[in-house]
Amino acid sequence: MADLTLRVDVGDGDERETHRSTAALLTDIRALGLVNVARASGEVPAGGKSGLSPQIAELVVTGALSATTVGTIGRVVIAFVNRAKDRRVKISRGDETWEFTGVSEKDQHVLAQLLSAEPAGSDVANGDGGAVR
């Protein structure tokens, strides 16, 4: 299974808040003891929409990413998103990307299915407001 990239967005928060929130998610995932997680490296891409460096807002998760492990990471992301009003997390794996905000119970199930499945080209219907593919 391909590595996961998680990009944290805190809405109207500044760079400092983004840094703190990303560090909190890193700590939460690292506490699982299941995978390697680190801040992304690199510069802001030329022509990129966001002025934030990947080191501030992105995490890269590597290791043995079994369906069970990824499902566990998904539950950590859900808890993280639901702890603050304006948080969003964009999860990328290979060519697929999902964005989650205020994740409802229905969307939590969709998230678990998406993250636990092997990469595929099929679409999964949106839940009731939080998950967007």
Side-chain angles (χ1 to χ4, degrees):
M1 198 176 276
D3 296 346
L4 296 175
T5 301
L6 289 71
R7 181 163 182 84
V8 175
D9 181 347
V10 295
D12 292 334
D14 62 8
E15 192 171 289
R16 185 172 299 162
E17 179 60 27
T18 300
H19 174 73
R20 278 194 298 260
S21 292
T22 305
L25 182 57
L26 181 141
T27 300
D28 291 350
I29 294 171
R30 193 172 276 164
L32 295 171
L34 300 174
V35 294
N36 298 316
V37 60
R39 290 200 182 253
S41 60
E43 300 294 322
V44 176
K49 289 183 178 181
S50 172
L52 292 177
S53 166
Q55 296 97 336
I56 301 286
E58 287 185 5
L59 301 174
V60 178
V61 179
T62 60
L65 297 175
S66 68
T68 301
T69 299
V70 174
T72 301
I73 293 167
R75 286 188 290 282
V76 169
V77 169
I78 289 165
F80 171 81
V81 167
N82 286 333
R83 281 196 305 254
K85 181 179 137 188
D86 290 337
R87 283 186 183 164
R88 285 190 302 254
V89 175
K90 186 180 289 186
I91 302 174
S92 301
R93 182 179 61 197
D95 292 336
E96 296 183 293
T97 300
W98 303 276
E99 183 172 347
F100 297 92
T101 61
V103 186
S104 68
E105 283 188 44
K106 184 176 181 180
D107 290 334
Q108 290 176 27
H109 181 68
V110 171
L111 171 61
Q113 287 181 326
L114 289 170
L115 292 177
S116 296
E118 289 295 323
S122 63
D123 287 340
V124 176
N126 285 344
D128 55 4
V132 180
R133 178 165 189 214

